[in-house]
Amino acid sequence: MIIDTISLDSELFITLLDQTRHYFGGYYHVKVLAYCDIPLKQSYFENDADFDHAVVKMGLSVRFERVLEKMAVPESGIELVRSQLMRAFSETTRSYLAVPNFVPSFVRSEYQKCLKKNPHTRSSRA
């Protein structure tokens, strides 16, 4: 279930999904998935060939995500813990997502990880 959608700018939104589940007895695993789908842009890459290759390997966007969680929360504490997790996320992660250079750096980093996962795939510069 979507808890909230936070706008970072005109193109980027963080979606917060409640994934809380019963853990045992009267206790719960409070879990919120925070994610942002970041569209790939040519300007994030050194050249057109790298951009085109990134689109082939990763698609038109790359996902940034964080899991916010706490185990063994009594049912009466679910809302408070969820609010605390979301507030901590907002105070930390959300602020660096808004830094102008974060998005291009993150996209390039994910592209490099993608290349390392498949050693037979090389950049056009190789």
Side-chain angles (χ1 to χ4, degrees), residues 47-92:
N47 56 57
D48 289 343
D50 282 348
F51 170 70
D52 292 341
H53 191 246
V55 170
V56 167
K57 298 305 284 178
M58 301 188 315
L60 296 174
S61 66
V62 62
R63 180 168 282 191
F64 170 86
E65 67 180 31
R66 292 293 178 262
V67 174
L68 321 170
E69 62 188 336
K70 185 167 183 178
M71 297 291 289
V73 176
E75 186 171 5
S76 62
I78 291 173
E79 291 300 321
L80 176 63
V81 168
R82 185 182 300 120
S83 293
Q84 290 170 339
L85 291 170
M86 291 169 50
R87 186 172 35 256
F89 173 80
S90 185
E91 292 170 359
T92 57

Side-chain angles (χ1 to χ4, degrees), residues 36-40 44-45 50-51 53-66 96-97 101-118 121:
C36 178
D37 290 326
I38 302 170
L40 270 62
Y44 298 161
F45 297 87
D50 282 348
F51 170 70
H53 191 246
V55 170
V56 167
K57 298 305 284 178
M58 301 188 315
L60 296 174
S61 66
V62 62
R63 180 168 282 191
F64 170 86
E65 67 180 31
R66 292 293 178 262
Y96 69 75
L97 277 170
N101 195 39
F102 174 80
V103 169
S105 295
F106 177 75
V107 169
R108 286 190 302 269
S109 173
E110 292 300 300
Y111 176 57
Q112 291 303 314
K113 288 178 190 175
C114 182
L115 292 177
K116 289 178 182 176
K117 286 181 183 176
N118 186 350
T121 304

Side-chain angles (χ1 to χ4, degrees), residues 6-70:
I6 304 164
S7 176
L8 294 176
D9 62 29
S10 62
E11 293 182 355
L12 297 178
F13 299 90
I14 300 171
T15 301
L16 300 173
L17 294 176
D18 181 19
Q19 298 182 328
T20 299
R21 299 286 180 256
H22 183 253
Y23 182 53
F24 69 92
Y27 293 92
Y28 289 77
H29 175 193
V30 177
K31 182 176 175 184
V32 177
L33 173 64
Y35 71 88
C36 178
D37 290 326
I38 302 170
L40 270 62
K41 294 183 179 181
Q42 196 285 327
S43 62
Y44 298 161
F45 297 87
E46 291 182 24
N47 56 57
D48 289 343
D50 282 348
F51 170 70
D52 292 341
H53 191 246
V55 170
V56 167
K57 298 305 284 178
M58 301 188 315
L60 296 174
S61 66
V62 62
R63 180 168 282 191
F64 170 86
E65 67 180 31
R66 292 293 178 262
V67 174
L68 321 170
E69 62 188 336
K70 185 167 183 178

